[in-house]
Amino acid sequence: MKHFAELLMHGATDERAGDYMLMSLIRQFETRLLDLFGQGKLAGTTHTCIGQEANAIAVMSALDKAIDTIWSNHRCHGHFLAYCGDAHGLFAEILGRTSGVCGGRGGSQHLAHRNFFSSGIQGGLVPLAVGTALADRDKGAISVVFLGDGTMGEGSVYEGLNLASLRDCPVLFVVEDNGIAQTTPRALGVAGSIADRAQPFGIRSASIGSVDLDALKPAACEAADYVRSQRRPFWLHIETVRLRAHSKSDDTRSEAELAALQERDCLQLLRNRVGDEADRFDGEVAAYLDACFDAAMQDAEPCA
């Protein structure tokens, strides 16, 4: 398992093949979680990033993971797997095992592993991301925080933008705008332009309306390079798609709307470019996930 994870993160000689395997890993992991919940084998809830995998891969590819700090949210599995590839640690965490990345006590939303942190409190990590960026300002590191369109109603977001600009904090705000906050369409919950949200604070911004990894990677690199070189904040707005429910089954969108969104599936787009080898890659990823899940099921549960 460890060898495959290392190969997945660092050893692929072909960049496109490596990207595809990582995207397949995230998609298959998330799909398995939904299946496990459907079978009654998992308790609580989970929020998958199906449809948004390319964002995670693009942003993580732009970072120096040895020193940069990542602050994720409730939809964190794709970010985590793109960060380190540790499917066993994540399975074990969600299953409540001691071998989980937080000893089985953080669950699906609250992860802490090396420089990666997540929380289900929307907007609540923005002050932490800004504070980390300020603390690391002279160390060459940057801080990244993932937001969503539903986070735009949180006051802490704007307080963070204000302080980040005033204090020249090297923080990258990544907004994964999937157009719906749980079951509320963006038009009913967010006034004005999300892409332009940070401009009144004097923060440089960019918006990209693509799910194509080939377009997202250079956009993420340009944003991260700006933050690192200028020691200033940056607002990267990504118009993305969420192909499944907010959590497990709470999807109020029509079948026609969901069918239209499937036309913007980042995995299928990359799969078309990979070609005939995609099936083999999917099989290798599936075998790795089988081993990770089986091992996690055998691990000990925490003491009460």
Side-chain angles (χ1 to χ4, degrees):
M1 289 188 299
K2 184 178 180 181
H3 172 73
F4 183 85
E6 291 174 349
L7 177 66
L8 190 69
M9 300 303 297
H10 308 294
T13 55
D14 181 88
E15 182 178 357
R16 190 174 298 284
D19 286 342
Y20 179 80
M21 292 181 75
L22 186 53
M23 196 178 295
S24 179
L25 173 73
I26 298 170
R27 177 67 58 90
Q28 290 192 50
F29 183 95
E30 298 286 61
T31 302
R32 286 182 185 223
L33 281 191
L34 294 177
D35 290 344
L36 290 168
F37 272 106
Q39 297 167 25
K41 295 181 178 179
L42 289 179
T45 190
T46 194
H47 304 81
T48 68
C49 67
I50 294 173
Q52 302 180 188
E53 297 92 342
N55 306 336
I57 296 171
V59 172
M60 294 303 162
S61 72
L63 303 181
D64 182 343
K65 287 180 278 189
I67 59 172
D68 296 341
T69 304
I70 298 96
W71 300 91
S72 183
N73 50 37
H74 62 304
R75 212 171 297 282
C76 58
H77 306 150
H79 302 150
F80 177 83
L81 291 171
Y83 172 71
C84 66
D86 184 9
H88 170 257
L90 187 53
F91 265 136
E93 183 60 35
I94 295 170
L95 289 165
R97 301 303 202 264
T98 56
S99 57
V101 294
C102 294
R105 300 185 183 277
S108 177
Q109 301 181 57
H110 301 100
L111 307 176
H113 179 63
R114 300 201 298 259
N115 294 340
F116 183 99
F117 306 93
S118 67
S119 171
I121 306 302
Q122 291 304 290
L125 290 180
V126 170
L128 298 176
V130 173
T132 303
L134 181 60
D136 292 345
R137 194 183 184 288
D138 298 325
K139 300 177 182 178
I142 71 172
S143 180
V144 180
V145 60
F146 286 93
L147 311 172
D149 49 290
T151 325
M152 296 301 102
E154 297 294 328
S156 57
V157 173
Y158 304 102
E159 293 167 358
L161 288 170
N162 186 61
L163 185 61
S165 185
L166 282 173
R167 300 293 296 274
D168 291 327
C169 299
V171 55
L172 173 58
F173 299 90
V174 179
V175 185
E176 295 181 283
D177 180 359
N178 58 31
I180 186 167
Q182 191 162 340
T183 58
T184 303
R186 179 179 54 215
L188 298 180
V190 181
S193 168
I194 294 178
D196 297 335
R197 224 46 164 205
Q199 291 183 10
F201 297 93
I203 294 175
R204 183 171 171 179
S205 308
S207 183
I208 178 167
S210 177
V211 298
D212 187 344
L213 186 60
D214 286 356
L216 289 165
K217 270 191 168 183
C221 284
E222 182 177 347
D225 288 348
Y226 171 85
V227 175
R228 197 178 307 278
S229 63
Q230 301 301 310
R231 315 312 290 162
R232 286 282 298 164
F234 193 97
W235 181 265
L236 179 61
H237 171 250
I238 303 172
E239 289 190 76
T240 188
V241 294
R242 194 188 80 203
L243 296 179
R244 299 292 289 269
H246 166 70
S247 53
K248 300 191 294 293
S249 59
D250 50 349
D251 204 331
T252 58
R253 295 173 292 182
S254 68
E255 292 297 326
E257 183 178 359
L258 291 172
L261 291 176
Q262 290 290 340
E263 298 298 316
R264 298 185 64 210
D265 183 352
C266 60
L267 180 64
Q268 187 60 51
L269 184 64
L270 189 56
R271 182 181 177 83
N272 292 340
R273 292 173 182 162
V274 169
D276 295 339
E277 286 193 295
D279 287 340
R280 177 171 65 84
F281 293 150
D282 288 341
E284 292 178 8
V285 168
Y288 169 62
L289 287 175
D290 285 341
C292 290
F293 179 74
D294 290 344
M297 288 294 287
Q298 300 301 315
D299 294 335
E301 297 183 19
C303 297

